[in-house]
Amino acid sequence: MRRLRRTIILLLALALVAGAIYAVVTVLQRSETLVTERCVAVVGSDSYELATDQAANAALITAIAVQRGLPPRAATIAVATAMQESKLRNIGHGDEVGPDSRGLFQQRPSQGWGTEAEVMDPVYATNAFYDHLVKVPGYETMAITDAAQAVQHSAYPQAYAQQEPMGRAYASALTGHSERALDCTLRAADTAGDPSAVVTAMTTAFGSLPAVAQGRTVQLNITGAQAWAVAQWAVANAKDLSVTQVDVTGATWNRQDHKGWQDSAAASGSVTITVSAPKT
């Protein structure tokens, strides 16, 4: 009887432990489901929220400006314009004003912007926008409505002004001029990350960089604004690239803690991007 009693007690204890574990896992899974995925750029006391796909497009637009050696003002104008034209989404339709408008900037093939396939390519579309912008004399100091209108020839030019504060916040963060200014709140990665994919996307955005993929990380020996531009680009693209952590001069962004940029022992002169491990 004593053995039977001990066995029953042991089984009950195991059942209680299993039940507790199940409850914890269920709570964690439920809390992950309740996470609202979003990105936020902060300038002073003002913050501007975008969906993760919008933030990734803003990061691409800004990175191309950095690649081309353009001032942050160019990125501000481009991000604000794309927000007004397409809500920073690569849409495949136009409107009653421009029925053949396409892409991030709603560029029209019938107006000489390129083929439909070209303007639907975000890299091509962004470069085409900048190609026109840099030909506008004094665009760096012009009102955003005037600079954007000189490129877009919109039927509603004053509408661009409402997007300027958001454009400035994201451009400042993503050019690296504002440190720790961009944070994305994300659920846990559901697929394993690929460091080579990170390098490919980074090269598309910034051009050639001294990036080394090793294990689950991508490491770059870069400093200053360039380091912060790449680091915050990685955060903006963390959802699609399964990035779990970004380390840059004295700061770390960790996908799981949802605390934004935190002080850390990250070495100066380098950026380390870590992706999620394969599921076991």
Side-chain angles (χ1 to χ4, degrees):
M1 287 295 292
R2 288 181 179 178
R3 288 184 179 178
L4 178 60
R5 186 176 301 168
R6 289 174 184 169
T7 301
I8 292 172
I9 292 172
L10 178 60
L11 290 173
L12 287 172
L14 290 173
L16 287 171
V17 170
I21 292 174
Y22 175 79
V24 170
V25 171
T26 300
V27 169
L28 289 174
Q29 289 176 335
R30 187 172 298 164
S31 65
E32 278 291 304
T33 302
L34 293 174
V35 170
T36 300
E37 296 191 310
R38 64 191 185 280
C39 294
V40 176
V42 177
V43 174
S45 60
D46 297 323
S47 62
Y48 301 91
E49 181 178 314
L50 292 177
T52 56
D53 63 319
Q54 294 173 305
N57 284 326
L60 175 64
I61 291 168
T62 304
I64 291 174
V66 173
Q67 179 185 160
R68 294 175 61 130
L70 300 177
R73 180 62 174 174
T76 296
I77 296 167
V79 171
T81 299
M83 185 64 174
Q84 181 59 35
E85 295 288 354
S86 69
K87 300 301 182 187
L88 277 167
R89 290 189 164 108
N90 196 36
I91 56 178
H93 60 80
D95 55 28
E96 65 276 5
V97 177
D100 66 330
S101 299
R102 298 289 185 273
L104 286 174
F105 295 92
Q106 287 291 277
Q107 293 157 336
R108 301 181 66 183
S110 65
Q111 300 298 314
W113 282 97
T115 67
E116 182 172 337
E118 286 175 332
V119 299
M120 283 296 295
D121 174 0
V123 174
Y124 174 94
T126 300
N127 275 300
F129 180 87
Y130 287 134
D131 287 345
H132 284 71
L133 180 64
V134 297
K135 294 176 182 176
V136 178
Y139 77 87
E140 301 97 325
T141 57
M142 292 172 63
I144 194 168
T145 50
D146 296 332
Q149 178 64 1
V151 176
Q152 297 293 103
H153 305 293
S154 170
Y156 307 102
Q158 297 305 313
Y160 296 118
Q162 64 188 332
Q163 309 298 348
E164 182 171 5
M166 178 281 303
R168 186 185 303 114
Y170 279 87
S172 185
L174 291 163
T175 57
H177 285 76
S178 291
E179 301 176 2
R180 307 187 187 205
L182 188 142
D183 176 35
C184 292
T185 301
L186 305 171
R187 304 184 189 102
D190 54 10
T191 58
D194 180 358
S196 296
V198 174
V199 173
T200 298
M202 186 188 306
T203 302
T204 297
F206 289 99
S208 180
L209 289 173
V212 177
Q214 184 176 14
R216 289 172 47 215
T217 68
V218 175
Q219 298 182 342
L220 304 96
N221 292 322
I222 51 178
T223 60
Q226 184 182 43
W228 277 100
V230 170
Q232 295 186 113
W233 170 91
V235 173
N237 284 276
K239 180 176 174 63
D240 287 344
L241 294 174
S242 296
V243 172
T244 57
Q245 185 165 309
V246 181
D247 297 282
V248 61
T249 311
T252 294
W253 176 88
N254 185 282
R255 181 177 184 143
Q256 292 181 310
D257 65 19
H258 298 163
K259 293 180 180 179
W261 290 97
Q262 300 292 304
D263 291 339
S264 75
S268 61
S270 67
V271 176
T272 301
I273 301 167
T274 305
V275 300
S276 61
K279 301 292 184 181
T280 58

